[in-house]
Amino acid sequence: HLSLSASNSILKARPSTGSLVKGHVLPASLELSKSALLQDPALTSLLNLLEQMVASGAIGFDELHKLLEAQMAGDGSKGSKQVISNLAQCIATIAVTSPSAKQEKFMKSTISAIKPSSTDVAATQLNLLVSGNFGRKVDVSKMKGVAQSMQKIYFESFDSSNEDIKHAAALALGRASVGAIDPFLPALLSALEGSSGKKQYLLFSSLREFIHCYRETEGSDLSSSVPMLLPPLEMNCGNEEEGVRAMVAECLGALACLEPKAILPVLQKLATDDSDKKVHIHWTVGNAVKFAIGGQINPTELAPFVPTFLELLKEDDLAVKNVALLMVYSAVHHAPQLVVGIMKEQVLPQLYELAQLNMERKIDLGPFKHTVDDALPLRKAALSVFSTCLDKCPSSLDIPAFMPVLAKALADVEDIQLQSHQIVHTLCAQHPIPLVQAADSFVAALEKTVNKKKGQKTGTELERVYEWIKSGLRVMLAISKLDGIIGARKFCDFADRIKKSKPHAPFLAQVENE
């Protein structure tokens, strides 16, 4: 990243160094362009350098284009989506730098090379993504017939038998719509009206990509397009397909970041929908709000609507409850000010209830029966919220009220136990007094954990049991070091017994030496 940035700066300040950069830096840059690990700042620096090389005349567009396309033949690059994506960005970036007459010729050549039924899947993906990335930065509607050709080939690619080609076409359509909204967006939305199944999912993927890319455009203002975008999104909030609803939620979440005044009242209305599809609709709303918070929506704009969205925690459907918990987790993590003031009234009662919810059922598999706990994801999510609250907004919690919940969690399945162990360690450092007062209630659960039987387990399964035991011992030792623990007679007796136990001696030695 730094070496690429330095080379770029030198080339900008001294264009006469172009031949040196071409001879010494370009070969390594080309090698880097086909690395599956190339991303973020390093990719941005590479794109900037290649752009500057073409702009300064250090290398011609046609020559560099051929060199970049040749990287597709590198070892392993044919099967890597990341490599294809990176090379597509490189090619599109240098094409944008070239003269307008050459740009039109380049785009027509790129589009003509796209064959959705081709057996060269990687080349088709590359050309699709190149066209979309180019269209994101240049208004192709000003090039005669190019926008129409792009639309045609994108929609044809949705019928390809190859999933990677379909996905590349969806991304390309979304990105090209950024640079030329007028021809592309109405066509995309029109196609959505009569679509269903996989094609509908792909079109919403395109819409999501359009909104995400538009957000990254400087001075972006999508307000004039919101009336066009909202109807298909609202209509599909209750779609039967979860994948489609997930895409709709991402679109609404990203749109809410761009146009909160237009989108948040719509989400609020949908959150109180009472139609036959209300479960699906509420699930979509919860996800949309979660994505909006993760997308850094303005907390001041969102705050008035939060109490309505938190009502989703009280829904009967487990999937909606889970999404609502993830929404709360996102809020606590990214913008705790959204929930701090209403935590004790609207969040904690539901959090404590869901952290203890157990809904086991047995499935008959013929020779044996399998137990499924439908509430397990809810318990995990509830504990994750509490753990994050301890870090981000501890003053909003009622720690003593949580102690019975923690005692129950310490006796839960392994994943929940390990989460609980981490919470205990945090409480030891931040809130030791409630922990000391509740220590006796932890004994039964911890005793069961540290005396876990290894049975016939071997290899990694045995190692897992040993790690489980050591995790329980760490909790026991951490609590036993707290001031005032001597008053918890039951816990002290348990700790003394384990410390004197010969089977536990090697585990204790390992833990104490960490």
Side-chain angles (χ1 to χ4, degrees):
H1 163 56
L2 294 175
S3 60
L4 290 167
S5 296
S7 300
N8 187 29
S9 299
I10 292 168
L11 194 55
K12 273 184 180 177
R14 292 279 190 274
S16 58
T17 59
S19 58
L20 289 172
V21 173
K22 180 182 177 182
H24 295 281
V25 180
L26 183 59
S29 299
L30 291 170
E31 192 66 30
L32 181 64
S33 71
K34 62 182 180 183
S35 167
L37 301 176
L38 177 64
Q39 57 185 325
D40 301 330
L43 175 58
T44 302
S45 296
L46 176 62
L47 295 174
N48 291 338
L49 176 61
L50 295 177
E51 182 181 17
Q52 187 59 36
M53 287 186 73
V54 173
S56 65
I59 188 171
F61 165 72
D62 292 328
E63 183 183 354
L64 186 52
H65 181 202
K66 287 177 183 176
L67 288 170
L68 287 166
E69 281 194 325
Q71 303 310 307
M72 286 288 288
D75 292 342
S77 67
K78 287 272 185 182
S80 171
K81 290 180 184 178
Q82 185 64 45
V83 171
I84 294 170
S85 174
N86 290 345
L87 288 171
Q89 287 193 62
C90 291
I91 294 170
T93 297
I94 63 170
V96 171
T97 312
S98 62
S100 56
K102 186 163 280 191
Q103 287 179 356
E104 188 167 338
K105 181 183 175 184
F106 163 76
M107 278 304 290
K108 287 179 178 178
S109 171
T110 300
I111 295 164
S112 65
I114 299 172
K115 308 292 182 189
S117 58
S118 170
T119 53
D120 193 346
V121 174
T124 304
Q125 281 180 265
L126 179 70
N127 286 316
L128 282 165
L129 292 174
V130 166
S131 66
N133 290 335
F134 180 88
R136 179 179 176 181
K137 297 178 180 179
V138 176
D139 185 352
V140 294
S141 64
K142 294 176 181 177
M143 300 177 182
K144 189 176 179 180
V146 170
Q148 291 78 7
S149 298
M150 288 170 72
Q151 285 181 36
K152 183 172 180 289
I153 201 69
Y154 293 158
F155 289 131
E156 284 178 5
S157 297
F158 286 163
D159 295 323
S160 169
S161 58
N162 185 278
E163 290 299 318
D164 289 338
I165 289 176
K166 290 179 182 178
H167 181 63
L171 294 178
L173 175 57
R175 291 170 188 173
S177 301
V178 176
I181 289 183
D182 291 342
F184 282 99
L185 191 56
L188 196 167
L189 297 174
S190 177
L192 265 173
E193 286 180 17
S195 66
S196 60
K198 181 65 177 179
K199 189 170 183 181
Q200 188 178 43
Y201 174 84
L202 290 167
L203 288 165
F204 274 118
S205 298
S206 297
L207 192 57
R208 177 196 63 174
E209 190 68 9
F210 163 70
I211 298 168
H212 279 307
C213 292
Y214 205 88
R215 278 194 70 196
E216 295 172 7
T217 306
E218 284 186 31
S220 55
D221 179 11
L222 205 56
S223 56
S224 60
S225 300
V226 168
M228 277 197 298
L229 295 168
L230 269 178
L233 290 172
E234 284 188 75
M235 192 183 302
N236 284 283
C237 279
N239 196 295
E240 291 295 322
E241 294 290 332
E242 185 176 323
V244 171
R245 294 201 310 277
M247 283 295 165
V248 169
E250 284 201 57
C251 290
L252 286 168
L255 266 182
C257 295
L258 273 172
E259 304 292 339
K261 286 182 170 60
I263 304 302
L264 289 174
V266 173
L267 290 175
Q268 184 180 44
K269 181 183 175 185
L270 290 169
T272 55
D273 181 274
D274 200 31
S275 67
D276 293 342
K277 294 184 176 181
K278 68 177 183 180
V279 170
H280 288 339
I281 292 171
H282 294 172
W283 182 92
T284 305
V285 170
N287 269 308
V289 176
K290 180 190 75 174
F291 287 128
I293 296 168
Q296 309 300 314
I297 188 173
N298 184 341
T300 307
E301 297 276 8
L302 179 58
F305 299 91
V306 170
T308 301
F309 297 140
L310 288 178
E311 289 298 309
L312 296 175
L313 286 167
K314 298 176 182 177
E315 291 282 334
D316 293 332
D317 186 79
L318 296 184
V320 176
K321 282 181 184 287
N322 193 44
V323 163
L325 280 171
L326 295 177
M327 177 187 71
V328 173
Y329 175 85
S330 186
V332 172
H333 184 74
H334 294 288
Q337 66 269 36
L338 287 171
V339 292
V340 165
I342 48 179
M343 181 72 77
K344 288 182 180 176
E345 294 76 22
Q346 275 197 272
V347 179
L348 291 184
Q350 298 301 317
L351 202 63
Y352 295 158
E353 179 186 331
L354 296 176
Q356 301 176 84
L357 187 64
N358 195 300
M359 297 185 71
E360 289 188 350
R361 56 190 172 90
K362 295 194 181 295
I363 300 176
D364 193 343
L365 299 174
F368 58 93
K369 290 183 178 176
H370 178 61
T371 302
V372 175
D373 186 352
D374 293 322
L376 179 58
L378 295 174
R379 298 203 299 281
K380 284 184 181 180
L383 285 175
S384 294
V385 171
F386 186 86
S387 180
T388 308
C389 284
L390 277 175
D391 181 41
K392 299 285 185 177
C393 49
S395 61
S396 65
L397 296 172
D398 183 350
I399 305 296
F402 181 70
M403 290 300 104
V405 180
L406 183 58
K408 195 168 182 179
L410 286 167
D412 210 321
V413 297
E414 181 182 354
D415 287 350
I416 302 289
Q417 280 191 35
L418 295 176
Q419 272 186 289
S420 306
H421 293 172
Q422 291 301 317
I423 290 173
V424 170
H425 288 300
T426 303
L427 289 171
C428 283
Q430 296 179 7
H431 302 278
I433 295 174
L435 210 55
V436 168
Q437 292 170 342
D440 284 347
S441 65
F442 302 156
V443 171
L446 287 174
E447 185 143 34
K448 191 173 180 180
T449 298
V450 300
N451 289 309
K452 177 77 176 170
K453 298 288 188 289
K454 65 180 182 179
Q456 302 298 313
K457 294 181 176 66
T458 57
T460 54
E461 284 193 355
L462 184 59
E463 280 298 314
R464 190 179 172 107
V465 171
Y466 288 164
E467 285 303 318
W468 196 353
I469 291 170
K470 285 192 284 186
S471 183
L473 291 172
R474 288 187 197 100
V475 169
M476 181 198 78
L477 291 172
I479 296 175
S480 65
K481 292 174 184 176
L482 296 176
D483 289 340
I485 194 64
I486 195 166
R489 198 84 224 120
K490 187 177 179 182
F491 182 87
C492 290
D493 289 346
F494 156 67
D496 289 341
R497 189 166 64 251
I498 296 300
K499 287 176 183 177
K500 293 174 184 176
S501 164
K502 287 185 179 179
H504 292 99
F507 296 116
L508 283 166
Q510 289 178 44
V511 169
E512 288 173 343
N513 289 329
E514 289 175 345

